[in-house]
Amino acid sequence: MNRQEIDTLVKQMNVDTATAAVDQRVQTIVVRLLGDLFQAIEDLDIQPSEVWKGLEYFTDAGQANELGLLAAGLGLEHYLDLHADEADAKAGISGGTPRTIEGPLYVAGAPESVGFARMDDGSESDKIDTLIIEGTVTDTDGNVIEGAKVEVWHANSLGNYSFFDKSQSDFNLRRTILADAEGKYVALTTMPVGYGCPPEGTTQFVLNKLGRHGNRPSHVHYFVSAPGFRKLTTQFNIEGDQYLWDDFAFATRDGLVATAIDVSDQAEIQGRGLDKPFKHITFNIELVKDATTAPSTEVDRRRASA
Ligand SMILES: [Fe+2]
C-alpha cells in the first residue's frame, strides 16, 4: 500500500466508524500514529511475529512499571526537552536554568522546610561522603525569589531511590526546601551514586538489542516553582563521573554540570556542625517569569505520592 491507501484505510476503520462523541485531539493523534506505523510495516516489511513481539514487550514493560524508564532511555524524554526549548525560542523566551528530564522516580509529598533541610536519614553516613548542596533562587535579572519551592530528590550510595527501594526509610533523600529571605536553600545530604537500569528489566532488554548501556552519572533532581514564574524541571550531573557525557538518558546538558568540591578545613567543618570533611556543590537556579504567551512547563503525568 502507498501512504494514500494507508491513510484511507485508517480513516475508514477509525474515523468513519465513529457513532458517538469524538475527542478530536485523540482521534488526530491515533490516526497519525497508526498511519506512521502501517507505513513503517510497509517500508521495513515488519513481520506479524515482530508486531506481536512488540505488543508483548509493551505489556511486559507496563507490568514492570518501566515505561517511564524506557522513555528516558530511548531519548523520548530528552527529545521533549529539545522540542520545548525550540517552542520557547519561537515564543521569544530565553534565559533561566536549562531544563532537563524529570525521570520516572519523583515522589510527591516530601517533608517541607524553610532554607535548610537534612535529606538523608543517617543510615549511610559512615560509608559515603557527606554532601552540602546550596544555591540561590533568582529571576533572570538576579532578584532573589523568597519562598521559591525547591524540590530535590536523589539516589543513595547504591543508586537506588527511596519509595521505589523499599529498604530505605520514607522520603529518604527527598525534600522540599523553601528559599529563605535571601533566596537561599541549603541541603545537607549524602553523595548520590549513578543509577543503572535493572539488568534483567525490560528497558535494559531493549538497550541490549541496541548495544547500549543503561547507566546514568551521579545526579540530583529538581523541581523549582514560585508564583509568577515558570516551573523548572531540571537536575545537575556531577563532574568526574565516567558517565557524565555518556548518560543513557541524555540528561546532562551544558549549564547543568556541578563540581563537588572537597572541604577539609576544620573551621568550615565545625561551622557546618559536621565532624568530618564533606563535599560541597553550588547550584544556583534562575527562574523565568511566566507570561500568557509562554508554552506551559507543567507536565501532567502519573507520579507516585506518599
Ligand atoms: Fe535520577
Side-chain angles (χ1 to χ4, degrees), residues 32 40-41 61 77 108 134 141 143 157 160 187 198 230 254 282 304:
R32 172 59 187 269
I41 291 172
E77 203 175 358
E134 62 190 317
D141 296 321
N143 304 304
S157 70
N160 295 326
R230 306 178 85 208
D254 287 332
T282 301

Side-chain angles (χ1 to χ4, degrees), residues 61 64-74 77 101-106 128 153-166 168 173-174 191-205 207 212-221 235-238 241-244 246-252 301:
N65 198 20
E66 279 205 25
L67 286 170
L69 192 60
L70 184 72
L74 294 183
E77 203 175 358
I101 70 165
E102 172 183 331
L105 302 172
Y106 171 80
I128 191 156
W153 69 103
H154 68 80
N156 69 1
S157 70
L158 301 172
N160 295 326
Y161 285 80
S162 64
F163 183 85
F164 302 95
D165 168 15
K166 296 299 181 194
Q168 295 184 46
L173 311 176
R174 299 178 184 276
M191 269 298 277
V193 166
Y195 173 92
C197 287
E200 304 303 327
T202 52
T203 303
Q204 190 58 55
F205 173 85
L207 292 176
R212 295 184 49 205
H213 71 72
N215 296 302
R216 296 218 51 210
S218 172
H219 61 276
V220 175
H221 294 269
Q235 50 181 283
F236 62 74
N237 290 265
I238 302 174
D241 192 294
Q242 65 164 312
Y243 294 109
L244 181 64
D246 185 22
D247 175 6
F248 98 100
F250 313 101
T252 309
R301 61 184 278 189

